[in-house]
Amino acid sequence: MNRYLPVFFLCFLFSCKPDVPATQDLSATQIPAKDTLISLEQRKTLIPLLDSVFAETQFNGIISVYRESEKFYEKSLGFEDFRTKEQLDSNSVFAIGSVSKQFAGAIILLLEEKGKLRTSDRISKYLPEYRSKTFEDITIHHLLTHTSGISDLGPGLQSEPGVEFNYSNKGYRLLGEIAEAASGKSYDTNARELFAKAGLTATYTAENFTGKNLAGAHTGANSNTTPVPNMPQRLAHGSISTAAGGLLSTVSDLHRWNYELYSGKILAPVSLQKFLKQSAKMNHPVLGSVGYGYGIMLSAAPKTYLHSGYVKGSPSLTLYYPQSRTSVVILSNTADTGKGKKAIFRPHTRVKQIVDSLEVTWKH
């Protein structure tokens, strides 16, 4: 079948064959009355471009764009469960991988606001096993910005603290342990309190997932997927860890998180400023050169707050454009691992390219 067939024909075809994933077009809801003629034209431009991502990449997932907290585009295609052929929809719960790191950053900053810790504190204050001379100069700030030098692969340091950017999931696992030591509560409890503060009703740790609408994670081509076992329990394992990459969420909750966080409803102004301050630069294997704050990536042109996420079989990307107040969430539960990360994230990067190009006309 020609993958470039018009979207309306694909939708018709999917409705006739229950064993083929159906497209859920959630952007076709009534346009809010406050939308201007300019906004309507912007929709007309955006919709075919984003529709084409599904056809061009055989994307099994959901793409969602909000503007000014209003749904601007949302469409899902594919299976939540490949065995039962349960369709993906806006209620599907995905593993979001390292998108979880911004939640860890917010938890640490909220504890600082309460006087429980300072980001300038040495980690040895909270972690006895890091009181040796090797680690004595590492601070919480270094962990948050991936400049601690702590290696994911061995017991020593890759570099002196504060000198180089070395992405470290282990560093974020340690942040989870520091949050527990400083608060006297489990990381799960800290996370649930944050979810409640943000009004998130479908965001979970692996330990408190309710078991409904799990999109799971799958490897291989969409025509021959293999489920990743022990989901979502494996997300809490030390090799991933809840703080570094173990949260689950939905598109609507992640949009809400973006708007609550960047409108100042989660963190005090000074904390949000620290969260967004570029403290390091990284060469992302898929996104290229970006800055890094406290669990968040930063792009200057156009101005964007973003983070990718990947746990085996589940790639994700969230973006927020502060000048137009546009939130973008791209979630998937499949990854053809044999093709490499760039191919896995091709739908995500294509969406980013499209929205980046339109952001110039969307800015206030």
Side-chain angles (χ1 to χ4, degrees):
M1 183 184 297
N2 190 332
R3 64 179 182 178
Y4 298 104
L5 287 172
V7 173
F8 72 86
F9 181 70
L10 286 173
C11 295
F12 172 77
L13 180 61
F14 293 154
S15 68
C16 296
K17 296 178 68 176
D19 60 335
V20 178
T23 299
Q24 279 225 354
D25 187 351
L26 304 172
S27 63
T29 54
Q30 185 175 359
I31 297 171
K34 72 176 186 178
D35 273 9
T36 63
L37 289 175
I38 293 175
S39 183
L40 291 170
E41 288 302 315
Q42 290 168 345
R43 278 178 188 261
K44 290 179 182 178
T45 301
L46 182 68
I47 289 172
L49 291 172
L50 293 183
D51 282 350
S52 71
V53 174
F54 288 96
E56 292 171 4
T57 66
Q58 288 78 55
F59 184 54
N60 192 98
I62 185 163
I63 299 170
S64 181
V65 180
Y66 276 43
R67 290 213 41 217
E68 298 281 358
S69 301
E70 296 283 353
K71 190 180 294 180
F72 206 69
Y73 174 98
E74 190 167 294
K75 185 171 289 187
S76 64
L77 173 64
F79 298 127
E80 187 177 274
D81 187 319
F82 283 81
R83 180 179 55 83
T84 65
K85 307 302 182 186
E86 186 73 25
Q87 304 286 333
L88 288 168
D89 61 28
S90 59
N91 296 314
S92 298
V93 179
F94 293 81
I96 61 173
S98 287
V99 174
S100 307
K101 287 182 170 67
Q102 60 197 276
F103 292 83
I107 286 171
I108 292 294
L109 288 168
L110 287 170
L111 289 172
E112 184 171 50
E113 290 178 15
K114 296 174 182 177
K116 301 290 187 180
L117 55 73
R118 294 180 301 175
T119 54
S120 60
D121 286 343
R122 294 182 178 187
I123 66 173
S124 57
K125 180 178 179 179
Y126 307 94
L127 304 174
E129 63 271 33
Y130 285 87
R131 289 177 182 165
S132 68
K133 188 170 180 60
T134 302
F135 306 109
E136 64 181 358
D137 293 328
I138 298 175
T139 66
I140 294 173
H141 168 84
H142 292 141
L143 295 182
L144 286 163
T145 57
H146 298 285
T147 57
S148 69
I150 289 175
S151 172
D152 282 350
L153 303 176
L157 295 180
Q158 297 182 81
S159 60
E160 291 297 312
V163 174
E164 295 180 5
F165 181 97
N166 288 293
Y167 195 86
S168 176
N169 287 311
K170 184 178 180 180
Y172 267 75
R173 175 172 61 79
L174 296 178
L175 284 170
E177 294 177 14
I178 289 170
E180 292 181 331
S183 67
K185 303 174 183 178
S186 70
Y187 188 80
D188 271 41
T189 299
N190 279 284
R192 288 197 300 270
E193 290 176 354
L194 176 59
F195 302 158
K197 183 180 180 72
L200 308 182
T201 59
T203 300
Y204 310 92
T205 66
E207 292 184 7
N208 73 355
F209 179 64
T210 61
K212 296 179 180 178
N213 304 112
L214 179 65
H218 307 80
T219 58
N222 291 346
S223 58
N224 186 28
T225 62
T226 301
V228 175
N230 198 31
M231 283 290 291
Q233 292 80 10
R234 68 184 297 268
L235 302 177
H237 190 271
S239 62
I240 299 175
S241 88
T242 303
L247 298 186
L248 304 106
S249 193
T250 63
V251 287
S252 57
D253 260 20
L254 290 171
H255 283 304
R256 184 175 183 87
W257 168 253
N258 276 346
Y259 285 111
E260 294 290 300
L261 177 62
Y262 298 118
S263 65
K265 295 179 180 178
I266 304 298
L267 299 173
V270 66
S271 297
L272 184 57
Q273 185 177 23
K274 290 177 74 171
F275 181 84
L276 292 172
K277 181 180 179 181
Q278 179 172 309
S279 298
K281 287 187 177 181
M282 71 174 293
N283 186 24
H284 192 282
V286 173
L287 301 172
S289 179
V290 293
Y292 208 91
Y294 278 8
I296 194 71
M297 298 174 191
L298 310 164
S299 181
K303 188 174 184 179
T304 320
Y305 311 140
L306 67 160
H307 213 294
S308 61
Y310 183 78
V311 290
K312 187 177 181 181
S314 187
S316 57
L317 179 66
T318 66
L319 309 106
Y320 184 77
Y321 299 81
Q323 293 174 314
S324 66
R325 298 193 72 241
T326 299
S327 174
V328 181
V329 179
I330 310 111
L331 302 176
S332 178
N333 61 344
T334 64
D336 194 346
T337 53
K339 293 185 176 180
K341 286 286 179 69
K342 286 190 176 181
I344 289 170
F345 276 91
R346 186 181 168 216
H348 307 68
T349 54
R350 181 65 187 124
V351 171
K352 181 180 181 298
Q353 290 167 357
I354 292 167
V355 181
D356 278 359
S357 67
L358 294 175
E359 173 67 3
V360 176
T361 66
W362 287 359
K363 292 187 297 185
H364 293 307

